Amino acid sequence: RAADGSLRDGLSLLDQALAFGSGAVRHDDVLAMLGTIDRRALATLADALMTGDRASLRVELKRIGELSVDYAGLLGELLVLWHDIAARQVLGDDVESELVDDATLLRLADGLTPEDVQLYYQLTLMARRDLDLAPDQRTGFEMALLRLMAFKPAGGDGAQLAPPASTRPAPAPAAAPVRPMPAPAPAPRAVSSIALTPAPTPTPAPA
């Protein structure tokens, strides 16, 4: 896997391993040379996430932090593990993993929901993409695992990505203020159609 399928790179890594191990190729020496960890650590991390075992996660993160680890490569292997678990859940027992044994793969596929696995894959992918933005790679890796522990799909035991529906009744809309009805305009006075005739002036009596 470190040679990415290249025979020439594989032979070059073999030469480096021989030099690193003083003429012998030993498993632990190769892991130290490549900056990787024993793949059993992947199963330990996945089990801790599956069971919500925060103490186990803390111990494993501390142990990994004491090693010289390629954190980008470790996130990449976690991505492959989530893929393998999802494939086992969907495609059945014929799916195998290069990273964990079949019993571990079956345990993880049964213990994690498909929604968990999809969320873990997406969060791990984002963490690997943003790893160079973290203060350092160890911080970025540990923050990624803390997110995986903290977040669950809506309805899980951890923090929900989708906000839960409120159980409080929705407040009744405020009643619109009642405006007083305007007073009706006074009806216009009717103008009489009869012409008013001035009263006759009395004629004075003759003296």
Side-chain angles (χ1 to χ4, degrees), residues 37-61:
I37 59 176
D38 193 326
R39 289 176 174 172
R40 285 174 297 184
L42 295 175
T44 301
L45 292 173
D47 277 324
L49 294 172
M50 179 179 67
T51 60
D53 189 344
R54 298 168 187 264
S56 177
L57 180 66
R58 181 177 64 251
V59 170
E60 192 62 20
L61 288 178

Side-chain angles (χ1 to χ4, degrees), residues 9-36:
D9 291 347
L11 292 174
S12 176
L13 288 172
L14 177 60
D15 289 338
Q16 294 177 40
L18 288 169
F20 191 88
S22 301
V25 178
R26 289 181 288 268
H27 181 259
D28 291 342
D29 290 341
V30 173
L31 292 179
M33 181 192 75
L34 295 176
T36 58

Side-chain angles (χ1 to χ4, degrees), residues 1-2 31 34-43 69-85 97-100 121 124 128 141:
R1 182 180 292 273
L31 292 179
L34 295 176
T36 58
I37 59 176
D38 193 326
R39 289 176 174 172
R40 285 174 297 184
L42 295 175
V69 177
D70 175 12
Y71 287 103
L74 187 53
L75 286 173
E77 291 195 334
L78 274 176
L79 285 171
V80 175
L81 179 59
W82 304 139
H83 162 271
D84 293 345
I85 295 171
S97 175
E98 296 181 0
L99 301 178
V100 295
Y121 185 91
T124 305
R128 189 184 187 196
F141 174 80

Side-chain angles (χ1 to χ4, degrees), residues 7-206:
L7 177 60
R8 183 181 62 183
D9 291 347
L11 292 174
S12 176
L13 288 172
L14 177 60
D15 289 338
Q16 294 177 40
L18 288 169
F20 191 88
S22 301
V25 178
R26 289 181 288 268
H27 181 259
D28 291 342
D29 290 341
V30 173
L31 292 179
M33 181 192 75
L34 295 176
T36 58
I37 59 176
D38 193 326
R39 289 176 174 172
R40 285 174 297 184
L42 295 175
T44 301
L45 292 173
D47 277 324
L49 294 172
M50 179 179 67
T51 60
D53 189 344
R54 298 168 187 264
S56 177
L57 180 66
R58 181 177 64 251
V59 170
E60 192 62 20
L61 288 178
K62 182 179 180 181
R63 187 184 73 83
I64 293 173
E66 294 172 351
L67 304 174
S68 177
V69 177
D70 175 12
Y71 287 103
L74 187 53
L75 286 173
E77 291 195 334
L78 274 176
L79 285 171
V80 175
L81 179 59
W82 304 139
H83 162 271
D84 293 345
I85 295 171
R88 183 64 173 261
Q89 290 174 332
V90 175
L91 302 179
D93 296 342
D94 292 339
V95 176
E96 298 179 350
S97 175
E98 296 181 0
L99 301 178
V100 295
D101 58 49
D102 194 66
T104 300
L105 183 63
L106 178 60
R107 182 176 71 252
L108 294 173
D110 288 343
L112 292 168
T113 68
E115 293 81 7
D116 284 336
V117 179
Q118 294 298 325
L119 177 63
Y120 289 171
Y121 185 91
Q122 185 64 27
L123 291 178
T124 305
L125 189 66
M126 294 171 61
R128 189 184 187 196
R129 181 194 64 192
D130 296 341
L131 191 60
D132 291 335
L133 300 178
D136 56 77
Q137 289 201 345
R138 177 179 176 179
T139 300
F141 174 80
E142 291 184 353
M143 193 64 197
L145 271 294
L146 294 176
R147 285 177 181 170
L148 296 182
M149 177 65 78
F151 286 98
K152 295 284 185 182
D157 295 332
Q160 294 180 339
L161 293 183
S166 175
T167 56
R168 296 182 180 179
V178 179
R179 296 182 179 179
M181 294 294 292
R189 293 182 179 180
V191 179
S192 175
S193 60
I194 302 175
L196 298 178
T197 305
T201 302
T203 304

